[in-house]
Amino acid sequence: MTSPADLRRPRRPAWAGRNYSLLTAAAFVTNLGSHGALIAAAFAVLEAGGDGGDVGLVAAARTLPLVLFLLIGGAVADRLPRHRVMVAANALNCLSQGAFAVLVLAGEPQLWQTMLLTALGGTGQAFFSPAAEGMLLSSVKGEQASRAFAVFRMAMQGAAVGGAALGGAMVAAIGPGWVLAADAVAFAIAGAMRAFLDVSHIPQRTRGGGMLADLREGWREFAGRPWLWGIVVQFSIANAVVGAADAVYGPLVTRDHLGGAGPWGVALGFFGAGTVAGALLMTRWKPRRLLLAGTLCVFPLALPSAALAVPVPITVLCAVMFLTGVTLEVFGVSWMTALHQEIPEDKLSRVAAYDWFGSVALVPLATALAGPAETAFGRTSALWGCAALVVVVTAAVLCVPDVRNLRRRTKQVTTGTRPASADAESPVGGLG
């Protein structure tokens, strides 16, 4: 019999368990702060007298330690309780962003100080990302996994809408220092929430032969799946050029032609709104060929760079960013679903680390070279080059058969390697 208290208690779907709910809420909080902080960091450098090259160096300083420590972070996250790794990383991010905020509020920060604190934040992210992805992928089960990932990403990207728009407005109104301080507080709140995650359901992991053995085992899982490493190679190039366009050229174009931080924040907010719409779409749409549908939706990622190259009016740029957000989120949900159904739970963080490593490996180089490229070729030509590279690498990855043929299944691989015998919904080979 249902009691009155049960009737008053808010219901949540069966797949939205305690861990999933905590992870979603914490991701909302951190995204709300970090999207504003990205804008604040760029304009803090510009307001301190820096140029496009300096903005690129600061962006590279964050990504370089991310590249260096990601693989170690993945191995650590598959050895230690993942929630402890996440909390420690959030604490480091909180301290580094807080110190950055103090420097900006106290006066003009030196470039080396900004780069050092940004590098500490990247180090925290290197340990956080594999642990967080492994924790999320293990928090849901069954055929509703795709919907769960879509709702998670909808919450996460919804925070980007408010974070980017609010951050841009705050930078324009009261300066970047307070936005950085708010991001530090967001990391503290999210870390406290993640401390309550439950990892008792995750089997105790065998320590094996040490860190190098763990890394080799993760590499075998990664390299044995052409669809996995093929898309990671694709995004290693696409993320690099898009990262350079967003971190360096976007603020410069909007400063020179579109009105500065406020309009750029609004444009990023429209991208966030598009990702929310895309995630909402993916709560209903379940494409059978996961990666084919997702990869086709990566082509519009070239549009923002092309729009900045023109440059188009802010209203057109916002429309382009919205469309890009919608289509990119189709890929994001499809990608998470593929990892969830194909990768054993005890290797999730290591595979996620190789995924992240490949995806960001070229970003420091691209952002550091963005300023010199602008000097050598001109900003417009550099932006058109970014757009062309996205199209080329996305077309190339469609040549991988498993990208075209990987199909949705309802059962996740739980441990070890994938069985040789495949069911009717399995891809057609090449997955090891």
Side-chain angles (χ1 to χ4, degrees):
M1 181 176 180
T2 304
S3 67
D6 291 332
L7 292 175
R8 290 193 299 269
R9 187 180 298 122
R11 287 188 173 185
R12 63 186 181 189
W15 44 262
R18 181 173 179 272
N19 277 0
Y20 175 86
S21 300
L22 283 171
L23 288 166
T24 302
F28 182 89
V29 171
T30 50
N31 263 31
L32 193 64
S34 62
H35 276 75
L38 288 174
I39 301 171
F43 281 92
V45 174
L46 294 174
E47 290 182 7
D51 56 15
D54 293 333
V55 173
L57 287 174
V58 171
R62 177 177 179 80
T63 312
L64 182 59
L66 181 61
V67 173
L68 292 176
F69 294 112
L70 262 172
L71 299 184
I72 297 174
V76 169
D78 272 341
R79 279 175 165 256
L80 302 178
R82 288 175 181 145
H83 68 310
R84 293 182 183 175
V85 179
M86 296 166 70
V87 170
N90 283 167
L92 179 58
N93 285 127
C94 174
L95 293 174
S96 62
Q97 284 294 72
F100 193 179
V102 169
L103 284 176
V104 174
L105 292 172
E108 294 185 357
Q110 299 296 313
L111 180 61
W112 71 269
Q113 295 172 324
T114 301
M115 292 178 66
L116 175 62
L117 291 171
T118 303
L120 288 175
T123 302
Q125 190 69 24
F127 284 86
F128 174 83
S129 296
E133 187 162 335
M135 196 73 196
L136 176 65
L137 292 175
S138 68
S139 70
V140 296
K141 296 179 180 179
E143 61 183 15
Q144 294 299 322
S146 179
R147 176 170 294 181
F149 297 142
V151 172
F152 173 84
R153 293 179 66 92
M154 184 164 53
M156 186 177 67
Q157 304 294 5
V161 178
L166 182 61
M170 288 178 65
V171 168
I174 60 177
W178 291 110
V179 181
L180 294 168
D183 189 38
V185 173
F187 275 117
I189 295 172
M193 297 173 67
R194 287 164 176 145
F196 291 98
L197 290 167
D198 180 13
V199 295
S200 61
H201 67 287
I202 299 177
Q204 187 69 30
R205 292 170 176 81
T206 303
R207 297 301 174 99
M211 186 75 71
L212 290 179
D214 285 352
L215 291 173
R216 285 194 296 268
E217 188 177 19
W219 171 254
R220 286 194 294 269
E221 285 291 329
F222 175 81
R225 292 169 164 81
W227 61 268
L228 180 56
W229 59 258
I231 287 179
V232 169
V233 170
Q234 170 203 7
F235 270 87
S236 69
I237 298 173
N239 283 345
V241 296
V242 171
D246 286 351
V248 181
Y249 300 138
L252 293 173
V253 171
T254 53
R255 182 194 65 182
D256 294 344
H257 302 286
L258 302 176
W264 181 233
V266 171
L268 292 177
F270 268 85
F271 175 81
T275 61
V276 173
L280 182 61
L281 169 66
M282 293 302 288
T283 63
R284 299 292 182 182
W285 184 37
K286 296 182 179 180
R288 289 173 61 84
R289 296 193 180 188
L290 287 166
L291 296 181
L292 176 61
T295 302
L296 289 174
C297 288
V298 177
F299 282 107
L301 190 59
L303 294 178
S305 295
L308 289 170
V310 174
V312 299
I314 187 62
T315 53
V316 178
L317 178 61
C318 288
V320 166
M321 296 291 273
F322 181 85
L323 174 63
T324 304
V326 172
T327 57
L328 193 59
E329 198 61 19
V330 173
F331 170 82
V333 175
S334 299
W335 179 245
M336 291 185 72
T337 304
L339 292 177
H340 175 265
Q341 75 174 29
E342 298 296 327
I343 307 300
E345 193 283 332
D346 61 322
K347 300 179 180 68
L348 282 173
S349 289
R350 278 169 287 174
V351 170
Y354 280 106
D355 174 13
W356 274 85
F357 177 82
S359 297
V360 303
L362 297 180
V363 173
L365 179 63
T367 51
L369 292 178
E374 179 185 12
T375 302
F377 306 109
R379 189 185 302 165
T380 299
S381 296
L383 283 164
W384 281 117
C386 291
L389 279 171
V390 171
V391 172
V392 170
V393 297
T394 303
V397 83
L398 288 174
C399 297
V400 178
D402 290 335
V403 172
R404 302 192 305 270
N405 298 325
L406 182 66
R407 296 178 186 270
R408 181 183 302 275
R409 293 188 292 112
T410 58
K411 294 182 180 180
Q412 178 190 9
V413 178
T414 56
T415 186
T417 56
R418 189 176 170 213
S421 59
D423 58 34
E425 294 298 309
S426 300
V428 292
L431 298 180

